Amino acid sequence: MPRIRELEPATQVAGPGALGGRRASAEDFSPAGGALAGAYAQAGASFGRAFGQLEQQAKEAQEKLEQQAKRADLSNLHAQVAKTQADWTLHLKERISKATPGDQEFMPSFLKDFDSYAESLAQQAQTEEGRAYLAPAMATLRGHLAINAMEGQAHLAGAKARQDYDGALNSYAVALFNDPNAFTDTVKRHDAFLNQMAATGNLTQEEALKLMTTGREKLAISAVEGSIHANPSDATRRLESGEWDAFIGDKKAHFLREIRTEERIRRVEREHALALSERAEAKAQEKAEDALLQEMTGPFLESGLIAPTDRNFA
């Protein structure tokens, strides 16, 4: 049986990819292979660096766009807050001028409308920075407007109180014209009304004192005029006694002249009325006499015994 002869070490086949005891490379197959591989490696490295630079530039551009968006958002919101302050300050002033005196819902109603507007404005904030600016800015503005609205409501309450006072003063004056003797009690009620208004804050103490002076004068004038109308002689007595001096000041001489004028007018009216009465009485007397004469002479006229005269029988 034949035998297979073993190969000698010098003629053994090398392993895959091995050449002379080492791995094969591009240089083993082409003279230019090494340079080309180097070029590819260098190009890959350059492309990697370029791609990294583009990626960094894109990132920087994106950051710039975001910063621009933030700045634009903040700029817009700053302008909107300034406009809101101007518009709503004017709006508050207009609402106060048109509101009903004593309106208790003025401030809550105003703030409710402002809050509704603030909610719509908040939707314009496009960035986190914009929202972080807008919220406290609008809260500060709301607080400022709330103080002004509170002052406006206090003004309306004062206007209602003044309106009530003016109505009461006119009523007191009418009452005193018709009943001058109630002057002292009426002045006490008038002063108590003003003191109450000052105590509740509807009037300042200074305003109450000023109204007390002018109000007393109006009441005294009404009482004097009522007294003159009712009894000029009694009014003269009371004026000359100094009863109203503390309230009417230098108007005393004026009222005394007014009394003299009133007395002359009344005297003329009495004389005129008396003359009219006397004429009417004389005419009635003449008519009665004519009727009596007619009655006495009637039968003689009918019989033709006497002729009628122009005066008695015309």
Side-chain angles (χ1 to χ4, degrees):
M1 179 176 181
R3 282 181 25 185
I4 298 175
R5 191 162 55 95
E6 295 182 358
L7 295 175
E8 295 295 330
T11 60
Q12 288 181 350
V13 179
L19 184 62
R22 62 179 177 80
R23 296 187 64 81
S25 67
E27 289 85 345
D28 296 321
F29 302 98
S30 172
L36 184 61
Y40 282 154
Q42 185 176 2
S46 298
F47 177 77
R49 287 193 298 271
F51 182 79
Q53 291 174 353
L54 288 174
E55 185 177 22
Q56 180 63 28
Q57 290 174 354
K59 182 178 179 181
E60 292 175 355
Q62 180 63 31
E63 290 177 351
K64 287 182 179 180
L65 289 175
E66 291 177 355
Q67 290 300 321
Q68 289 175 352
K70 291 176 183 178
R71 288 193 294 269
D73 191 34
L74 285 171
S75 177
N76 174 62
L77 293 175
H78 273 286
Q80 290 295 330
V81 170
K83 186 175 185 301
T84 298
Q85 180 177 358
D87 290 348
W88 281 81
T89 298
L90 178 60
H91 180 54
L92 174 59
K93 184 177 180 180
E94 291 174 346
R95 285 176 73 148
I96 292 173
S97 67
K98 296 177 181 178
T100 302
D103 184 3
Q104 296 297 318
E105 296 300 319
F106 176 81
M107 179 179 174
S109 176
F110 173 80
L111 292 179
K112 180 180 179 181
D113 292 344
F114 179 81
D115 290 342
S116 177
Y117 173 80
E119 289 178 5
S120 67
L121 183 61
Q123 297 177 4
Q124 296 187 30
Q126 302 297 317
T127 64
E128 190 64 32
E129 288 77 4
R131 286 185 285 273
Y133 159 74
L134 184 60
M138 290 299 287
T140 300
L141 179 56
R142 185 186 190 276
H144 177 72
L145 290 173
I147 293 173
N148 290 343
M150 185 182 300
E151 292 176 352
Q153 184 157 324
H155 169 77
L156 293 174
K160 177 61 168 62
R162 178 60 186 270
Q163 192 178 74
D164 291 342
Y165 167 74
D166 289 341
L169 181 61
N170 288 333
S171 296
Y172 288 148
V174 171
L176 284 175
F177 182 84
N178 293 295
D179 183 13
N181 293 327
F183 176 73
T184 301
D185 290 339
T186 303
V187 168
K188 289 180 179 179
R189 284 193 293 273
H190 165 264
D191 292 355
F193 190 0
L194 288 174
N195 288 330
Q196 181 185 21
M197 291 175 66
T200 56
N202 289 324
L203 288 176
T204 65
Q205 193 66 33
E206 182 180 357
E207 289 172 333
L209 290 174
K210 183 177 179 179
L211 288 175
M212 194 172 292
T213 300
T214 57
R216 286 175 173 180
E217 181 179 352
K218 180 174 181 176
L219 296 179
I221 290 173
S222 184
V224 172
E225 290 178 342
S227 182
I228 293 172
H229 178 76
N231 189 335
S233 298
D234 184 60
T236 300
R237 179 188 61 78
R238 297 175 71 175
L239 278 167
E240 291 178 344
S241 72
E243 180 177 345
W244 293 303
D245 285 2
F247 307 105
I248 62 175
D250 58 0
K251 295 181 176 62
K252 179 176 181 178
H254 164 77
F255 285 121
L256 289 172
R257 289 193 300 271
E258 183 178 326
I259 291 173
R260 288 193 292 270
T261 301
E262 180 69 19
E263 288 176 333
R264 285 196 299 270
I265 291 173
R266 293 192 179 193
R267 184 170 60 252
V268 170
E269 289 177 346
R270 286 194 302 268
E271 292 173 353
H272 180 65
L274 180 60
L276 290 176
S277 176
E278 289 175 348
R279 278 200 296 271
E281 185 177 347
K283 189 172 183 179
Q285 181 65 30
E286 183 179 341
K287 187 176 181 180
E289 291 175 356
D290 288 345
L292 178 61
L293 184 59
Q294 177 70 28
E295 182 181 353
M296 293 173 62
T297 60
F300 297 101
L301 289 172
E302 292 176 0
S303 64
L305 295 175
I306 60 173
T309 64
D310 293 340
R311 178 180 183 280
N312 296 319
F313 304 104

